[in-house]
Amino acid sequence: MVAGSCAVRTGGWEIFGSCSVCANGSIYQWRANSGAGPSQVSGDIETPSQHLSDQAVRIATTAIEISPHVPERIANLFREANECRQMTWYEAAGAMYRKTLDVATKHIYSHDARLAERDPANALRSRIKALGELKILEPDIVELADVAALDGNDATHDVDPYTAEEAEALEDLTQDLLDRLFVRPARLAAVKAKQIASGQRKAE
């Protein structure tokens, strides 16, 4: 069922239709050999003289909100991964979630004073393990980060297709890790600063 249409510069039209079974909508490019518009056509819109594109038109993604406490470079990587997932590019999304974690752990090495004399391991999982052994990351974060790294590896290297469900699960896991790595510590630091300023807590 065609619900609306719009002419595009190529001379064709973009039409929106909803499925009579599931009611989900899609946008497709459509062209009539006669040059007629969709409103001038009744009945079947896919005939020898009227052509509907094989693939739906991709529309803009919905921007995801990311805490300002997440460093900009890392937030941009996560945003790109999320956009890939929305566009159904699941393997690209999985690889980008892994890169988000990779850059996030390198960021910790370059910004945590306790790691000033240490170089990060080249391998992501080794780096995560080292951060746990050095007591920089809590054991539960180390475990979650290792799972995320393995899932990201699957998206990058596995022969089997990476699925929508896997990409969604990895997004949730990566988002939780960013919250644990950057957002919660920043909020805790802000609370401590207020307590010190009010005299409720002594400066360390």
Side-chain angles (χ1 to χ4, degrees), residues 40-178:
Q40 299 171 281
V41 176
S42 61
D44 194 351
I45 60 173
E46 177 64 15
T47 68
S49 62
Q50 298 166 188
H51 311 285
L52 197 66
S53 61
D54 293 332
Q55 299 293 326
V57 175
R58 295 190 180 277
I59 59 176
T61 57
T62 302
I64 188 172
E65 291 188 14
I66 302 176
S67 170
H69 295 306
V70 178
E72 183 178 6
R73 168 63 174 156
I74 299 165
N76 286 339
L77 289 171
F78 183 77
R79 188 174 290 110
E80 183 174 340
N82 170 263
E83 290 178 354
C84 284
R85 184 190 62 75
Q86 291 188 61
M87 297 294 284
T88 71
W89 299 333
Y90 302 125
E91 287 169 316
M96 287 303 303
Y97 288 127
R98 185 192 182 284
K99 183 169 183 177
T100 301
L101 182 56
D102 190 32
V103 175
T105 53
K106 289 177 179 176
H107 178 91
I108 293 173
Y109 264 91
S110 62
H111 288 77
D112 194 308
R114 294 169 292 178
L115 299 170
E117 303 300 321
R118 296 179 180 274
D119 294 324
N122 290 327
L124 174 57
R125 294 185 67 200
S126 297
R127 195 182 315 134
I128 293 168
K129 181 180 179 182
L131 288 171
E133 292 172 346
L134 293 168
K135 308 300 182 184
I136 304 299
L137 299 182
E138 298 295 328
D140 62 331
I141 299 180
V142 171
E143 182 179 356
L144 288 174
D146 192 59
V147 170
L150 284 171
D151 285 352
N153 286 345
D154 288 344
T156 305
H157 303 294
D158 203 345
V159 173
D160 294 330
Y162 201 65
T163 66
E165 291 75 16
E166 289 173 318
E168 290 171 5
L170 184 53
E171 178 176 304
D172 291 341
L173 182 54
T174 306
Q175 191 166 31
D176 184 47
L177 283 168
L178 294 182

Side-chain angles (χ1 to χ4, degrees), residues 1-8 10 12-19 22 24-31 38 45-46 51-59:
M1 179 184 69
V2 176
S5 60
C6 177
V8 295
T10 59
W13 294 76
E14 288 185 352
I15 61 174
F16 175 85
S18 60
C19 174
C22 67
N24 287 331
S26 299
I27 296 175
Y28 291 86
Q29 291 186 344
W30 178 87
R31 180 193 303 273
I45 60 173
E46 177 64 15
H51 311 285
L52 197 66
S53 61
D54 293 332
Q55 299 293 326
V57 175
R58 295 190 180 277
I59 59 176

